[in-house]
Amino acid sequence: MFKRIVPNDGEMVTLKVEDQPVTVPAGDSVAAAVYAAGFNHFRESSISNRPRAPYCMMGVCFECLVEIDGSPNHQACMTTVRDGMSIRIQKGLRGVES
Ligand code: FES
């Protein structure tokens, strides 16, 4: 379904999505990494707990919110992967961090 359009220089990073290791090209977005790990939804809505997935992939819709290293509400499409990152599917309503 998805095809890489910009080749990378070969540098790879390894991170975890729901404790599942995945290795992706450096420079990829977290959204690309979550898809590469085989997940088809990134969060569950705060009202109905229905699965949600990225829509715009450019920082507008906020459908791609995930938890990164224990911190909620990160836009997966606007965040670049880094080695050792831990990503979790966001479930339900999250608070606002100060
Ligand atoms: S997919 Fe729309 S903000 Fe990330």
Side-chain angles (χ1 to χ4, degrees):
M1 179 173 177
F2 295 99
K3 179 181 172 191
R4 184 173 305 283
I5 57 174
V6 179
N8 85 325
D9 61 5
E11 183 184 350
M12 304 294 279
V13 298
T14 299
L15 47 93
K16 288 185 177 178
V17 180
E18 291 289 325
D19 295 324
Q20 175 182 319
V22 59
T23 301
V24 297
D28 269 11
S29 68
V30 167
V34 173
Y35 276 132
F39 290 85
N40 63 6
H41 76 278
F42 286 44
R43 69 181 184 95
E44 295 173 0
S45 76
S46 57
I47 304 290
S48 64
N49 293 327
R50 306 262 325 207
R52 309 297 295 180
Y55 181 68
C56 71
M57 294 295 277
M58 60 183 194
V60 176
C61 72
F62 287 78
E63 293 291 358
C64 63
L65 296 178
V66 293
E67 183 179 300
I68 297 176
D69 295 333
S71 174
N73 299 326
H74 291 271
Q75 288 176 285
C77 70
M78 301 300 290
T79 306
T80 303
V81 294
R82 70 181 145 64
D83 212 36
M85 196 177 241
S86 177
I87 302 160
R88 292 209 169 271
I89 302 301
Q90 192 163 291
K91 296 182 172 84
L93 186 62
R94 293 298 170 132
V96 177
E97 290 187 347
S98 56

